Amino acid sequence: MLGTGLVGMAMLGTGSLGIDTLAPALPLTQSALAATGVPVGAAVMIEDFRLDPRLREALLRYCDVLVPMNDLKWEALRHDRDGFDYSGADEVIAFARRHGKGLRGHTLVWNDGLPAWARAIVSRAEAEREFNRHIETVVSRFKGIIPVWDVVNEVIAHEPTPGRPLRDSIWLRHLGPGYIETAFRLAAAADPKARLVINDYDLENPDARTAQRRREIIAIIRQLKDKGIPIHGVGLQAHLYAERAVDVDGLQRFIAELLRMDMTVTITELDVIDWRLPADPATRDAAVAKLVSTFLNAVLAVCSPAGIVTWGLTDKSSWISETFKRPDGLPARPLPLDAAYRPKPFMNLLQNARRGRA
Ligand code: XIL
């Protein structure tokens, strides 16, 4: 479903950005990894994409699949209530198609990334009208072009309780918990062939909150399936915290349950929050790669993911730098390429997964 196979692999061997310049690979013990490898990709920030030819070159070299980072969110598509502005998304999509790269759509329903007029919606009727129109219009516009959608994003409460499993959001407030199934129903009606995903964060940490979040995802999938509403996969955002361990056992049990429910698993927003790591770049990059290696090994040991997407490609530009600022003020190093586009050990792991070998 994701990507177009191992596009561009021939470019990988040598050259200034070649992976042969990397430190030795950390082992990937991918027992279940398909011999053909996993499609690898990155989210694309439109401003960087427009301004920096090195980014475009790196996307071609390292990626099978591209994701417009912000340009399919309401904020970008719907500056005003009536129009739909596809200009940013179309640029990335045209580039992807021209170069045979796969695409993911992110995201139809989120409590964040909304324009002011949508945040100010006051009535159920208005919410319903805009919500329905948005999903129908956007999914139809990209029918046959975007094969997979993050239909709902971050709908599980940060800390779910039995009485309050879902995040407080304008959609929950106005439409009630049924908005999730409505979103999937509308997306499926607009493009019956699209693969429909529920995407969320904090699904890999070793704590009770995470375990509860995983249970809520399972509960939603079960509800949708019981009602015959199409849902095809789960997106693990995987914004990994360097100071937290990966709950390998809990994550693998979760994935096993998802597979039993015929779900695909995609790693959708991989990066590492390095705010608590030591300053030294090499030490930091090694710690980041070690954590990513642990996480990918945990996933690859039990499934062959539909894709592995990082949330950006180079440390030059990442939301982590803004959202998780280091106390020492140093720039963050959350992604597979450094700020000068040199591949870090993190990249080596991705390209190994891409080629289906340890
Ligand atoms: C972030 C983008 O990276 C930023 O550029 C933007 O300002 C805010 O959104 N979880 C998600 C993503 O699902 O859409 C978010 O992306 C990061 C957290």
Side-chain angles (χ1 to χ4, degrees), residues 45 69-70 73 75 106-107 110 112 153-154 199 201 237 239 269 311 318-319:
M45 171 92 93
M69 182 183 280
N70 293 313
K73 294 173 180 172
E75 212 164 26
H106 176 86
T107 172
W110 192 27
D112 217 330
N153 190 40
E154 304 186 345
N199 193 48
Y201 67 96
Q237 288 190 359
H239 298 295
E269 305 185 16
W311 207 240
S318 164
W319 76 299

Side-chain angles (χ1 to χ4, degrees), residues 26-340:
L26 294 162
L28 275 179
T29 57
Q30 67 274 57
S31 58
L33 178 55
T36 48
V38 177
V40 161
V44 181
M45 171 92 93
I46 192 72
E47 294 82 359
D48 304 331
F49 177 80
R50 286 178 179 147
L51 290 175
D52 192 347
R54 286 180 306 168
L55 176 62
R56 296 195 293 272
E57 187 197 322
L59 293 168
L60 295 181
R61 182 180 295 260
Y62 295 113
C63 296
D64 308 306
V65 53
L66 306 183
V67 183
M69 182 183 280
N70 293 313
D71 291 279
L72 290 166
K73 294 173 180 172
W74 283 57
E75 212 164 26
L77 292 175
R78 306 194 61 193
H79 320 291
D80 54 69
R81 187 182 301 261
D82 297 320
F84 285 77
D85 176 0
Y86 298 108
S87 55
D90 280 351
E91 279 182 55
V92 177
I93 290 168
F95 177 82
R97 284 162 65 83
R98 195 158 63 241
H99 296 285
K101 307 295 185 186
L103 286 161
R104 304 189 79 251
H106 176 86
T107 172
L108 298 169
V109 179
W110 192 27
N111 186 47
D112 217 330
L114 294 169
W117 69 261
R119 287 198 305 272
I121 287 174
V122 286
S123 74
R124 179 184 173 105
E126 188 188 7
E128 196 163 49
R129 190 169 62 240
E130 296 303 338
F131 184 89
N132 292 7
R133 186 158 85 98
H134 184 87
I135 296 171
E136 285 162 357
T137 307
V138 175
V139 177
S140 305
R141 169 68 161 49
F142 295 108
K143 184 174 175 179
I145 294 172
I146 295 183
V148 52
W149 281 99
D150 291 335
V151 177
V152 297
N153 190 40
E154 304 186 345
V155 296
I156 307 299
H158 182 72
E159 185 156 11
T161 56
R164 221 183 128 270
L166 299 179
R167 173 177 309 279
D168 180 34
S169 82
I170 70 159
W171 308 122
L172 181 65
R173 256 174 273 145
H174 292 308
L175 306 177
Y179 81 89
I180 295 175
E181 52 186 75
T182 304
F184 279 87
R185 212 192 292 272
L186 292 170
D191 182 356
K193 293 209 177 107
R195 312 290 294 170
L196 307 179
V197 170
I198 180 170
N199 193 48
D200 223 308
Y201 67 96
D202 276 357
L203 298 169
E204 62 282 324
N205 305 314
D207 53 39
R209 180 176 71 81
T210 298
Q212 190 59 35
R213 291 174 58 74
R214 290 192 290 245
R215 280 194 287 274
E216 300 301 350
I217 296 266
I218 301 278
I220 289 175
I221 296 166
R222 200 159 282 141
Q223 279 163 28
L224 264 63
K225 286 180 83 82
D226 283 352
K227 293 184 178 172
I229 298 169
I231 176 167
H232 307 104
V234 172
L236 311 174
Q237 288 190 359
H239 298 295
L240 307 177
Y241 287 78
E243 72 274 19
R244 295 183 192 164
V246 173
D247 175 11
V248 171
D249 189 53
L251 179 61
Q252 291 183 336
R253 283 170 197 272
F254 177 55
I255 292 172
E257 184 139 15
L258 296 178
L259 297 178
R260 279 196 292 277
M261 296 195 297
D262 289 327
M263 293 293 110
T264 61
V265 174
T266 309
I267 298 165
T268 52
E269 305 185 16
L270 181 62
D271 53 19
V272 177
I273 299 159
D274 65 339
W275 58 350
R276 307 260 193 264
L277 286 178
D280 173 58
T283 311
R284 241 197 292 168
D285 292 350
V288 163
K290 186 158 187 275
L291 181 63
V292 169
S293 169
T294 303
F295 174 74
L296 290 181
N297 274 325
V299 175
L300 294 172
V302 289
C303 74
S304 188
I308 304 173
V309 175
T310 54
W311 207 240
L313 196 56
T314 151
D315 294 340
K316 195 169 166 242
S317 175
S318 164
W319 76 299
I320 301 292
S321 323
E322 310 304 319
T323 312
F324 301 90
K325 288 190 192 304
R326 289 177 59 86
D328 59 14
L330 287 172
R333 303 181 67 85
L335 287 165
L337 300 177
D338 74 8

